[in-house]
Amino acid sequence: MDTLPASSSKSGSDPIQIQSSKEYETIEYIRNNSDSDRILEDLQSQRINEVLCDIRLETNDGAIVVGHKNVLMAASPYFREIFTNSDERNKGVVKISEFNSAVLRLLVDYIYSGQIIITKENVKLLLQAANILQIDFLNGACAEFLKKELDVSNCIRMKAFAHSHNCPILLSSYEAYIKKHYLDVAKGEDFLSLSFEDVVKIISSDDIAVPFEEKVFESIIKWIKHDLEQRKDFLPDLMEHIRLPLLASMPDILNNIVEEPLLKNSPKCNNYIIEALHFNPDESVEHFTMPQKIRCKSRLFGASQKVILIFSRSKKLPRCYMDWYDPVTKVQEDAPAINDCLLLPGFGVIRDKYVYLVGSMDIMSSSSVSMLDVSSRSPSWVPTVNMLCMRSGFRVGVLDNCIYAVGGENGTKNLNSVEVFDVSIQKWRMVSSMSTPRRDMGIGVLNNCLYAAGGINSELLNSVECYDPTLDTWTTVSKMLVRRANFGVGVLDNVIYAIGGYNESGFLRSAEKYRPSDGVWSTIAKMHVRRDGPGVVALNGLLYVFGGDINRSNVDTIEIYNPNTNTWSIQPLPKSRDSKIFCAVAVDRPPHFITN
């Protein structure tokens, strides 16, 4: 039993006694929104009936809106500054000149009620007013409303509006829209009204969505000719951002550009043309020299403009298939085919556009390597340097622009050896071997390390080891929960996922994940379908799982995993082939695929 000090007790009475118990130690936090709403409703009623109102706001059109200073100050820094200003503090009437009485009434009603009706007619005025009053929630609501109204015909005018009213979220959204729809925007009249600075800002971007660079050239010539006398001197500065060297492999198109009369009288423009005529894209690819000048650099078509390249092998014929797949539009198209039909190949992707296909014709032949530049106007597979060792059942990973071929078998034994292909010098070399021979394992790359998981040696494995290229060493890490081989691996948001495959119990629907910072594997939701050897791609915050041949029946569906909800959805592939999908990778959208 605890007591308060004597000085705390009433005169002539015993000290107050407080019993210590769990009942008194319990603290409960409550929040009563209904009372808050009731108070606001009451204040609104008082304002309407002008009860205790101590401020009258007068607009330029002579209208008066009444209110309570403390309520308006609490809602808006704009009013707080006015009512704390020494000149305005004791005034009963304050002039508001920034907007009209209709908008002011809507805003004051919103402050008291938290409700407002946004329409096409008032949204711009409300956004401007919310920006002045610094009411962030209303500002954001107006911005979201305007985003929904965005289209090719108004995006340039809306961008100017967002800039003039200091709305960075809206401005960023409009700029992204203009880049994504550049070809259509450039056809409109509003494009011709852009300032030189605005045109430069757009065409200098890596991520404007244009299938071919001559379309950008055509748009700036059109812009200059719209006001030739005032704009012709801007041409050299604009041509600096046109990537003419990308057209070097298309002499007919480049020659048409050279014949443009506006270019002939400009020494600076002539230098850009000479640069393009002497640019050798094949030599750049062969030596993997990345362009130093922006004019030689391919545009990216935007971070979200990725497609998936799928490799599959016919079950009946010695034939392989390549397909592009757009996960947004669900369009599937034929990709450049490879002449040799490879057995159990692997994909490696460098800088999202150079795809290396590593594989062999059979388990007794040396593994060959071919490269595809997806940014090329006419992409095709180009043979490169064969691997050092004969191996099948190996897996591929990419680290620091180098391609690693890990494990596998050579026809007589399982391998723990690892070799790496440095694309910059076009040579293979051996690196440290794994501690355990493995074939049909999973390979994931995370935090600049290579993870080799599961697979088969003399038995099915669930062990995992990690390769650090800076130390050239392999280190054992936590085991998977399930032994599995021939499974798919995806890496998303610093997590490695092991998906499907098979073990002693048969083909698997199960999947698990590993976060290196936690150091443990944990299960995730099961797929809808059992999948053996699926291709897995991480893209736009999701995992896409393709194929996975089971009992010789084709799995022509895609399963999509959302890590935020731990759920799988399933959908059919647009094209159904009698083939087994071995691998899939995300790459930059090929030029011809941009309009799909």
Side-chain angles (χ1 to χ4, degrees):
M1 187 89 59
D2 295 333
T3 62
L4 288 175
S7 59
S8 300
S9 62
K10 294 181 181 180
S11 177
S13 63
D14 294 331
I16 298 174
Q17 294 181 337
I18 301 177
Q19 184 176 359
S20 294
S21 69
K22 290 183 179 180
E23 177 184 356
Y24 289 96
E25 292 172 0
T26 300
I27 298 175
E28 183 176 357
Y29 174 79
I30 65 171
R31 181 181 181 89
N32 189 341
N33 289 325
S34 61
D35 272 357
S36 300
D37 293 341
R38 180 185 55 78
I39 291 170
L40 273 176
E41 289 174 3
D42 187 69
L43 286 169
Q44 174 75 319
S45 176
Q46 290 182 36
R47 186 180 74 85
I48 292 171
N49 294 294
E50 298 193 23
V51 175
L52 299 178
C53 291
D54 53 359
I55 187 65
R56 298 168 69 84
L57 307 174
E58 183 179 356
T59 56
N60 287 340
D61 53 8
I64 296 291
V65 178
V66 300
H68 304 89
K69 286 183 179 179
N70 54 352
V71 175
L72 299 177
M73 288 172 63
S76 164
Y78 169 87
F79 285 124
R80 187 181 308 122
E81 182 176 349
I82 288 177
F83 299 148
T84 55
N85 184 290
S86 58
D87 294 333
E88 306 285 350
R89 182 181 303 166
N90 298 317
K91 288 184 177 180
V93 178
V94 171
K95 291 279 290 186
I96 303 293
S97 58
E98 289 85 352
F99 27 85
N100 62 38
S101 58
V103 171
L104 181 60
R105 286 193 180 94
L106 285 173
L107 290 169
V108 173
D109 280 341
Y110 170 76
I111 288 172
Y112 278 83
S113 67
Q115 301 177 31
I116 196 167
I117 297 176
I118 302 175
T119 67
K120 290 182 179 181
E121 291 71 28
N122 69 18
V123 62
K124 290 184 179 180
L125 291 173
L126 287 178
L127 179 67
Q128 179 183 5
N131 189 39
I132 293 171
L133 268 59
Q134 300 175 56
I135 303 177
D136 294 338
F137 185 87
L138 181 57
N139 191 305
C142 292
E144 289 300 317
F145 185 97
L146 285 170
K147 284 181 186 179
K148 296 175 184 178
E149 300 296 309
L150 186 62
D151 59 35
V152 171
S153 67
N154 67 17
C155 59
I156 288 179
R157 278 172 283 131
M158 295 305 297
K159 175 180 174 290
F161 172 81
H163 178 76
S164 64
H165 291 90
N166 190 29
C167 189
I169 296 176
L170 201 57
L171 183 62
S172 175
S173 177
Y174 289 167
E175 288 177 343
Y177 183 92
I178 291 170
K179 292 176 185 177
K180 184 177 180 180
H181 301 275
Y182 179 78
L183 290 184
D184 291 327
V185 171
K187 294 175 184 177
E189 290 298 313
D190 286 347
F191 179 81
L192 301 176
S193 67
L194 287 173
S195 67
F196 163 72
E197 292 77 14
D198 283 336
V199 174
V200 168
K201 185 175 182 180
I202 296 172
I203 68 171
S204 64
S205 299
D206 285 344
D207 53 351
I208 58 172
V210 288
F212 311 121
E213 195 65 20
E214 67 266 25
K215 299 298 182 182
V216 186
F217 172 78
E218 291 169 3
S219 69
I220 69 161
I221 294 297
K222 176 183 175 183
W223 180 85
I224 288 172
K225 289 182 176 180
H226 181 69
D227 189 357
L228 185 59
E229 287 304 312
Q230 296 296 321
R231 296 178 176 179
K232 61 184 179 182
D233 292 338
F234 290 134
L235 181 59
D237 293 325
L238 291 172
M239 287 298 297
E240 181 179 355
H241 302 284
I242 305 299
R243 304 179 185 194
L244 291 182
L246 301 183
L247 301 173
S249 59
M250 290 151 279
D252 291 343
I253 294 174
L254 192 55
N255 288 336
N256 287 337
I257 292 175
V258 170
E259 293 302 316
E260 169 56 50
L262 291 178
L263 300 179
K264 293 185 176 181
N265 296 324
S266 170
K268 192 173 182 181
C269 290
N270 285 328
N271 289 338
Y272 295 144
I273 291 172
I274 293 170
E275 177 187 54
L277 292 172
H278 288 83
F279 180 71
N280 188 337
D282 293 332
E283 182 178 296
S284 177
V285 170
E286 179 183 350
H287 299 290
F288 206 74
T289 54
M290 299 308 294
Q292 300 300 311
K293 298 177 181 178
I294 190 173
R295 292 183 299 282
C296 303
K297 184 180 178 183
S298 298
R299 299 194 191 268
L300 304 178
F301 304 126
S304 64
Q305 296 296 313
K306 303 286 185 184
V307 296
I308 296 171
L309 180 61
I310 305 169
F311 175 93
S312 61
R313 180 186 171 107
S314 173
K315 298 176 186 177
K316 299 178 181 179
L317 304 172
R319 181 179 179 183
C320 293
Y321 300 98
M322 296 283 184
D323 291 279
W324 306 116
Y325 175 72
D326 186 335
V328 176
T329 63
K330 298 180 176 58
V331 170
Q332 184 176 349
E333 283 189 4
D334 293 344
I338 192 163
N339 292 331
D340 297 329
C341 191
L342 303 179
L343 180 70
L344 302 175
F347 270 148
V349 183
I350 305 291
R351 302 195 182 183
D352 295 332
K353 76 170 187 172
Y354 299 104
V355 183
Y356 285 81
L357 183 64
V358 186
S360 56
M361 299 285 287
D362 55 63
I363 62 174
M364 298 305 295
S365 63
S366 178
S367 292
S368 63
V369 184
S370 297
M371 189 275 292
L372 178 74
D373 179 1
V374 302
S375 67
S376 171
R377 180 76 67 97
S378 302
S380 61
W381 291 96
V382 179
T384 62
V385 183
N386 285 2
M387 288 166 49
L388 300 175
C389 300
M390 183 178 70
R391 63 179 82 222
S392 64
F394 63 96
R395 295 296 184 263
V396 169
V398 175
L399 270 174
D400 291 332
N401 296 327
C402 292
I403 299 169
Y404 289 76
V406 183
E409 61 176 327
N410 63 5
T412 60
K413 65 176 182 178
N414 295 324
L415 304 173
N416 64 348
S417 64
V418 181
E419 54 189 293
V420 58
F421 182 63
D422 188 332
V423 297
S424 62
I425 59 175
Q426 297 284 295
K427 287 186 178 180
W428 287 91
R429 61 183 172 86
M430 303 302 295
V431 295
S432 292
S433 297
M434 296 181 290
S435 61
T436 303
R438 302 171 189 269
R439 62 178 170 87
D440 298 338
M441 68 289 204
I443 292 291
V445 176
L446 180 59
N447 298 331
N448 206 39
C449 289
L450 198 70
Y451 288 82
I456 302 174
N457 188 12
S458 57
E459 61 180 3
L460 283 158
L461 304 171
N462 66 341
S463 61
V464 184
E465 45 191 311
C466 174
Y467 176 72
D468 185 339
T470 61
L471 302 176
D472 190 28
T473 57
W474 288 88
T475 305
T476 299
V477 297
S478 296
K479 294 181 178 181
M480 292 189 295
L481 301 175
V482 175
R483 299 177 190 272
R484 62 178 82 222
N486 209 31
F487 56 98
V489 173
V491 179
L492 181 64
D493 295 334
N494 294 316
V495 177
I496 300 173
Y497 292 84
I499 299 169
Y502 70 88
N503 61 17
E504 301 92 337
S505 64
F507 298 115
L508 303 172
R509 290 194 301 132
S510 67
E512 52 188 295
K513 65 180 181 179
Y514 176 74
R515 190 187 304 272
S517 58
D518 297 337
V520 294
W521 290 85
S522 58
T523 58
I524 64 171
K526 291 183 178 181
M527 294 183 290
H528 296 271
V529 178
R530 302 176 189 274
R531 297 180 185 268
D532 175 38
V536 179
V537 174
L539 185 61
N540 299 330
L542 302 171
L543 287 177
Y544 292 82
V545 180
F546 294 82
D549 191 66
I550 298 175
N551 294 330
R552 299 187 178 182
S553 62
N554 188 38
V555 179
D556 53 1
T557 57
I558 310 167
E559 294 204 47
I560 305 167
Y561 178 71
N562 186 334
N564 296 323
T565 59
N566 189 30
T567 56
W568 292 90
S569 59
I570 189 168
Q571 61 191 38
L573 267 171
K575 288 184 181 180
S576 179
R577 298 189 188 275
D578 184 24
S579 61
K580 173 178 172 57
I581 293 176
F582 282 102
C583 40
V585 288
V587 294
D588 286 341
R589 182 183 296 273
H592 77 277
F593 213 66
I594 191 69
T595 57
N596 287 334

